């Protein structure tokens, strides 16, 4: 069966995440969740960090989840998953659980619950080697609490805690490279994907689950409210993040970098900025330097990634 | 019981680690902190030598230890951990959640002072920090009791009418690091006593997918949180049931409240933990001198045996309550609660704070407390 047919088939009957939840129109999160879960053939158990996905899908007494789902707090999703996975191993070893149908453990956390407050628990869990897939839906700010700056917020973005103003051009720091941080844990699979590129995401999920150890996926997901774009521009705004090379799609398998999508032409980052109200202030004359800086850093990061991937590919050929 | 018993010389930590070995929990997330560390060190050696089949999770913080414990316990695996002081402080957020999600985790606590200044010795400040979390909190008087309570704890935590975390406290260093004769039950007896781990809705039951740890607004939060209070009320009875059953097995009765020579006492002292041992000696001395004094040893801080405290003090004219933790700007927690419980009785209730950061409470100071001659802060050097 083709990948698309498999995904559609898995959505039929009892989809892992049902409709009727309260996520916004044009939000990338449910697209990420469904693509991820529908790409996994085994039974799944889901752990969620506090955030939009948790709040919008599990208001008591209702739930949108048709798979076992657990939320404990904001900063500890990876630790909770560690405990569940340890319990699974202990019970399976004692014959208290059927072993023929392995469970895949999937964590969903936003960028706050991954880059910032959740980083320590995530790092510990990756280092310990728990068998689980951690998916960060990265929408580049604390959207659930109302668009506050996070470690994932890009340079120049106006947020409610780094507002653009007469003396301010928004956030003045670069976002941290969380995908590289995850890769530095030398786990079997790390991937960077986008909600707009379902095929690429689905393939990475399949690979991550088969990797036989901890896996990390950083998935760019839009937020119409926080980014300031029309909900219908969901795909365009994410596509442009990829096409401008601001958000490269790549994977790190056993330490080896591979770019999984090569944009055909150089699209200036201003095209991506122009779609979003959070960057409107960058059209001011005094923002020229920042815009140039954003472009310079995008190019620099891309070139570094390209070099890394080329040398890893060459090394693979030699060996 | 007629069988011959043999006591071994064990510290409180070793005693508790042995209880854990005998219980053989499925999962134990661990993170080191003084004075609890010997518990997890001894226990991981048992695991390394194949004496238990426990899955150890060496987490990167106490916050993650309690988080992993919640995941594991609700996944369907018997889960235990241990901590002290700053570690417990770091866990407190998740202890509240563990209670709210009804995770029957058993945790050994080596009770220790909180920073600053940093200090590694015993007091009850850490336990008090988790007072309102919804976790059951028991305090041992000595290493034997630490062992006994640890064996009883899974039965209390996992009881279908309770389903709450249980913290088994032992005073840092005074108990955790002091060797005493401790009588261990046979391994099989402990295993049979604790039985199989069963919870109503294990997450790993794929046949009935459930959402756990959901979001509740004002329309449901109050009711859900109140279920903890209701479970705590039921826990009073469960603790006594388990204590009675444990007494049959061990010959030792560990009730929520121990009344020591209170029958005709005019003056009573209320305290928790290792201090109770010293107070018992002082009570014996004073009784020998003809004084009508007695002790109420609170073993269950949560749930607090309210009715039994009231009944036990019914004949007393003076009750002195010792808190081994301070409440700056307020009234000591145990003092305030005893005062509320005894409101309307004929007893005059006094409160004292003592022993912060591991300072010993001497028999002479206990005598002064009984005599009504001790200051509010017992054992505090004057500023001069």
């Amino acid at each position: 069966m083709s990948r698309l047919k498999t995904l559609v088939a898995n959505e039929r009957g009892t989809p892992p995440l049902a409709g009727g939840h309260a996520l916004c129109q044009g939000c990338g999160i449910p697209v990420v969740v469904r693509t991820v879960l529908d790409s996994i053939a085994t039974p799944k158990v889901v752990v969620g960090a506090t955030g939009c996905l948790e709040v919008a899908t599990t208001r008591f007494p209702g739930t949108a989840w048709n798979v076992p789902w657990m939320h404990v707090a904001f900063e500890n999703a990876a630790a909770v998953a560690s405990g569940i996975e340890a319990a699974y191993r202990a019970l399976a070893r004692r014959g208290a659980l059927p072993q023929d149908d392995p469970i895949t453990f999937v964590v969903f956390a936003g960028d706050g619950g991954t880059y910032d407050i959740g980083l320590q628990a995530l790092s510990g869990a990756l280092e310990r080697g728990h068998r689980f897939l951690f998916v960060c839906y990265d929408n580049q700010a604390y959207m659930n609490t109302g668009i506050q700056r996070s470690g994932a917020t890009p340079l120049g973005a106006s947020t409610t805690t780094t507002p653009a103003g007469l003396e301010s051009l928004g956030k003045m720091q670069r976002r941290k490279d969380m995908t590289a941080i995850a890769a530095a844990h030398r786990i079997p699979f790390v991937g960077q994907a986008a909600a707009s590129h379902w095929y690429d995401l689905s393939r990475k999920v399949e690979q991550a689950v088969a990797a036989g150890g901890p896996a990390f996926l950083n998935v760019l997901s839009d937020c119409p409210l926080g980014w300031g774009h029309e909900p219908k521009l969901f795909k365009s705004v994410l596509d442009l993040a990829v096409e401008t090379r601001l958000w490269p799609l790549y994977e790190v398998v056993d330490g080896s970098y591979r770019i999984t999508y090569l944009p055909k032409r150089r699209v200036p980052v201003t095209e991506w900025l122009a779609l979003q109200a959070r960057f409107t202030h960058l059209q001011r004359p005094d923002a020229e330097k920042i815009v140039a800086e954003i472009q310079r850093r995008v190019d620099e990061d891309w070139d570094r990634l390209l070099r890394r991937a080329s040398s890893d590919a060459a090394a693979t050929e030699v060996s | 019981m007629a069988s011959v018993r043999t006591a071994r010389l064990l510290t409180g930590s070793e005693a508790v680690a042995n209880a854990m070995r005998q219980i053989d929990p499925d999962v134990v997330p661990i993170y080191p902190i003084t004075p609890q560390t010997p518990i997890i060190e001894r226990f991981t050696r048992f695991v390394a030598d194949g004496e238990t089949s426990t899955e150890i999770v060496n987490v990167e913080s106490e916050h993650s230890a309690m988080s992993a414990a919640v995941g594991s316990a609700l996944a369907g695996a018997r889960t235990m951990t241990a901590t002290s002081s700053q570690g417990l402080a770091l866990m407190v957020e998740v202890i509240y959640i563990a209670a709210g999600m009804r995770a029957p985790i058993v945790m050994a606590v080596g009770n220790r002072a909180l920073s600053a200044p940093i200090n590694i010795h015993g007091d009850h400040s850490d336990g008090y920090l988790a007072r309102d979390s919804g976790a059951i909190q028991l305090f041992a008087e000595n290493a034997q009791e630490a062992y006994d309570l640890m064996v009883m704890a899974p039965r209390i935590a996992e009881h279908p009418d309770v389903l709450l975390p249980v913290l088994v406290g032992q005073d840092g260093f005074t108990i955790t690091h002091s060797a005493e004769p401790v009588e261990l039950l046979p391994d099989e007896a402990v295993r049979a006593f604790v039985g199989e781990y069963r919870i109503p809705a294990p997450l790993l039951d794929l046949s009935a997918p459930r959402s756990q740890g959901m979001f509740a607004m004002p329309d449901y939060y109050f009711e859900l949180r109140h279920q903890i209070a209701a479970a705590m009320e039921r826990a009073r009875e469960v603790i006594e049931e388990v204590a009675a059953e444990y007494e049959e097995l061990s010959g030792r009765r560990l009730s929520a409240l121990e009344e020591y020579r209170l029958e005709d006492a005019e003056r009573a002292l209320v305290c928790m933990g290792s201090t109770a041992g010293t107070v018992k000696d002082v009570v014996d001395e004073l009784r020998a001198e003809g004084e009508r004094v007695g002790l109420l040893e609170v073993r269950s801080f949560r749930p607090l045996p309210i009715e039994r405290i009231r009944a036990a003090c019914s004949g007393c004219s003076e009750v002195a309550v010792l808190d081994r933790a301070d409440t700056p700007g307020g009234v000591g927690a145990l003092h305030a609660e005893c005062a509320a419980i005894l409101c309307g009785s004929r007893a005059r209730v006094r409160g004292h704070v003592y022993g912060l950061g591991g300072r010993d409470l001497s028999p002479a100071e206990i005598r002064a407390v009984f005599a009504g001659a001790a200051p509010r802060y017992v054992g505090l050097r004057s500023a001069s």
Side-chain angles (χ1 to χ4, degrees):
Chain A
M1 215 177 349
S2 75
R3 185 170 298 278
L4 185 59
K5 279 184 180 160
T6 306
L7 293 184
V8 170
N10 289 340
E11 265 300 303
R12 288 214 181 107
T14 312
L17 176 70
H21 54 68
L23 287 159
C24 303
Q25 273 189 9
C27 167
I29 299 170
V31 178
V32 173
V33 172
R34 287 190 169 145
T35 308
V36 168
L37 295 181
D38 289 338
S39 303
I40 300 170
T42 67
K44 298 156 273 274
V45 168
V46 173
V47 176
T50 308
C52 286
L53 177 61
E54 169 257 334
V55 167
T57 59
T58 67
R59 178 167 170 177
F60 188 87
T63 180
W65 296 90
N66 288 316
V67 291
W69 177 93
M70 184 182 284
H71 157 259
V72 176
F74 196 1
E75 68 278 56
N76 60 358
V80 174
S82 303
I84 297 171
E85 191 256 4
Y88 171 71
R89 271 186 286 128
L91 296 175
R93 198 171 56 227
R94 292 185 178 191
L97 281 176
Q99 290 184 35
D100 48 346
D101 214 1
I103 297 173
T104 302
F105 299 97
V106 184
V107 177
F108 290 105
D111 46 287
T114 305
Y115 286 65
D116 291 352
I117 200 167
L119 183 57
Q120 175 181 314
L122 172 60
S123 176
L126 296 182
E127 184 267 334
R128 289 190 300 273
H130 294 280
R131 204 168 167 165
F132 75 119
L133 167 62
F134 191 104
V135 180
C136 171
Y137 57 89
D138 179 355
N139 52 24
Q140 305 195 323
Y142 291 88
M143 299 313 188
N144 187 44
T145 43
I147 323 161
Q148 290 81 30
R149 162 222 202 272
S150 80
T153 305
L155 179 65
S158 179
T159 70
T160 57
T161 50
T162 56
L166 292 178
E167 301 287 330
S168 161
L169 290 169
K171 185 188 174 189
M172 280 299 101
Q173 299 81 26
R174 307 176 74 171
R175 48 178 292 277
K176 61 171 103 157
D177 188 350
M178 187 60 225
T179 310
I181 293 170
H185 289 76
R186 296 183 275 205
I187 54 175
F189 184 90
V190 170
Q192 187 160 291
S196 48
H197 291 62
W198 65 271
Y199 188 94
D200 179 76
L201 173 59
S202 171
R203 194 191 53 71
K204 280 172 181 160
V205 169
E206 209 173 77
Q207 236 182 313
V209 171
F216 176 81
L217 264 175
N218 201 6
V219 189
L220 188 68
S221 178
D222 70 316
C223 172
L225 191 69
W227 290 15
H229 67 75
E230 287 294 318
K232 67 182 178 191
L233 293 181
F234 150 75
K235 180 145 168 39
S236 319
V237 74
L238 290 170
D239 272 343
L240 267 176
V242 175
E243 293 299 326
T244 54
R245 305 170 194 215
L246 181 126
W247 190 263
L249 306 184
Y250 69 99
E251 64 197 16
V252 188
V253 182
D254 293 322
S256 185
Y257 280 66
R258 194 174 79 84
I259 295 172
T260 57
Y261 173 75
L262 269 176
K264 306 226 169 7
R265 59 186 184 94
R266 288 227 178 219
V267 179
V269 77
T270 45
E271 288 194 22
W272 182 68
L273 301 175
L275 282 184
Q276 306 167 63
R278 60 176 172 159
F279 296 118
T280 307
H281 59 283
L282 296 186
Q283 288 162 17
R284 284 170 12 197
D286 61 329
E288 259 176 43
K289 268 174 75 177
I290 286 289
V291 174
E293 181 68 6
I294 294 170
Q295 184 66 61
R296 188 181 69 75
R297 285 171 170 179
V298 165
D299 294 342
E300 201 178 86
D301 287 350
W302 173 262
D303 291 342
R304 188 178 296 116
L305 179 66
L306 207 58
R307 281 198 303 276
R308 180 75 203 254
S310 313
S311 88
D312 285 351
T316 312
E317 272 171 36
V318 169
S319 62
Chain B
M1 244 169 74
S3 67
V4 179
R5 301 215 187 93
T6 48
R8 296 164 58 184
L9 197 63
L10 297 174
T11 63
S13 302
E14 290 168 336
V16 157
N18 270 284
M20 291 170 71
R21 171 183 61 74
Q22 296 177 315
I23 292 165
D24 195 9
D26 297 306
V27 176
V28 174
I30 53 171
Y31 192 81
I33 185 166
T34 305
Q36 163 281 123
T37 314
I39 298 174
I40 58 166
E41 285 178 337
R42 187 72 197 90
F43 183 69
T44 48
R45 276 211 304 283
F46 287 138
V47 178
D49 291 337
E51 293 191 54
T52 81
S53 57
T54 303
E55 194 74 39
I56 296 285
V57 187
N58 272 286
V59 289
E60 78 299 329
S61 73
E62 289 91 351
H63 194 282
S64 283
M66 187 45 68
S67 303
V70 171
S72 163
L74 295 176
R78 182 173 275 142
T79 307
M80 301 177 111
T81 185
T83 197
S84 291
S85 183
Q86 304 307 116
L88 199 142
L90 190 56
M91 279 183 181
V92 162
E93 182 201 18
V94 193
I95 296 175
Y96 272 73
I97 300 173
M101 292 178 72
R102 312 300 295 277
I105 299 156
V106 171
M107 176 159 77
V109 179
N111 289 105
R112 167 188 146 182
L114 292 173
S115 298
I118 190 166
N119 169 290
I120 55 169
H121 287 276
D123 73 30
H124 297 159
S125 306
D126 50 3
Y128 277 40
L129 200 55
R131 186 190 63 178
D132 300 336
S133 62
I136 290 170
Q137 205 167 157
L138 310 173
F139 282 88
E141 181 188 321
N142 50 41
Q144 181 68 62
E145 285 197 9
Y147 169 80
D148 294 333
L149 291 173
M150 202 67 182
V151 175
M152 287 166 58
R155 288 286 304 277
I156 299 166
E158 298 162 19
H159 193 288
D161 291 342
V162 178
L163 293 169
L164 290 173
V166 174
L167 277 51
V168 177
Q170 51 174 309
D171 290 355
F173 287 97
T174 312
I175 304 178
T176 56
H177 286 62
S178 304
E180 305 172 50
V182 176
E183 191 182 285
L184 303 184
L185 294 168
D187 293 358
E188 358 20 293
V190 172
R191 251 165 242 174
F193 183 77
V194 296
E196 287 292 311
Y197 182 77
R198 275 197 196 87
I199 54 168
L203 187 75
L204 294 181
D205 178 2
L206 301 174
S207 65
R210 292 179 181 88
S211 295
Q212 301 197 31
M214 297 164 69
F215 166 60
M217 289 292 273
D219 52 351
Y220 281 103
Y221 178 88
F222 202 169
E223 283 70 28
L224 293 172
R225 212 57 211 175
H226 178 260
Q227 289 180 356
I228 299 171
M232 268 292 181
E233 289 304 320
R234 295 192 293 271
R236 292 180 204 287
E237 206 170 308
V238 171
I239 291 171
E240 297 313 322
E241 280 168 22
V242 173
E245 211 180 305
Y246 189 75
E247 185 181 15
E248 277 179 38
L249 184 69
S250 68
R252 293 182 294 273
R253 174 76 173 211
L254 284 95
S255 187
L257 185 78
E258 184 180 332
E259 297 164 36
Y260 188 77
R261 307 191 73 170
L262 266 181
E263 316 80 54
D264 60 342
E266 281 177 350
R267 285 173 293 148
L269 191 151
V270 183
C271 74
M272 305 195 295
S274 61
T275 303
T278 319
V279 175
K280 283 175 182 172
D281 284 347
V282 175
V283 166
D284 289 346
E285 290 168 15
L286 290 172
R287 282 276 179 180
E289 293 164 21
E291 305 259 3
R292 284 161 64 185
V293 296
L295 164 72
L296 266 83
E297 179 181 1
V298 175
R299 222 176 253 122
S300 175
F301 184 40
R302 282 294 178 273
L304 195 64
I306 293 171
E307 291 305 327
R308 293 187 55 197
I309 291 174
R310 185 177 291 135
C313 294
S314 62
C316 299
S317 54
E318 280 185 49
V319 175
V321 186
L322 297 187
D323 275 290
R324 199 169 188 179
D326 200 7
T327 309
V331 177
L334 195 56
H335 172 205
E337 297 194 55
C338 287
I341 292 166
L342 299 175
C343 182
S345 80
R346 68 185 195 90
R348 210 170 65 85
V349 183
R350 285 196 315 275
H352 300 277
V353 171
Y354 79 101
L356 298 191
R359 179 156 299 173
D360 285 330
L361 185 70
S362 71
E365 286 164 332
I366 295 168
R367 278 173 171 266
V369 169
F370 271 120
R376 182 178 171 205
Y377 289 91
V378 187
L380 179 73
R381 282 194 302 276
S382 64
S384 59

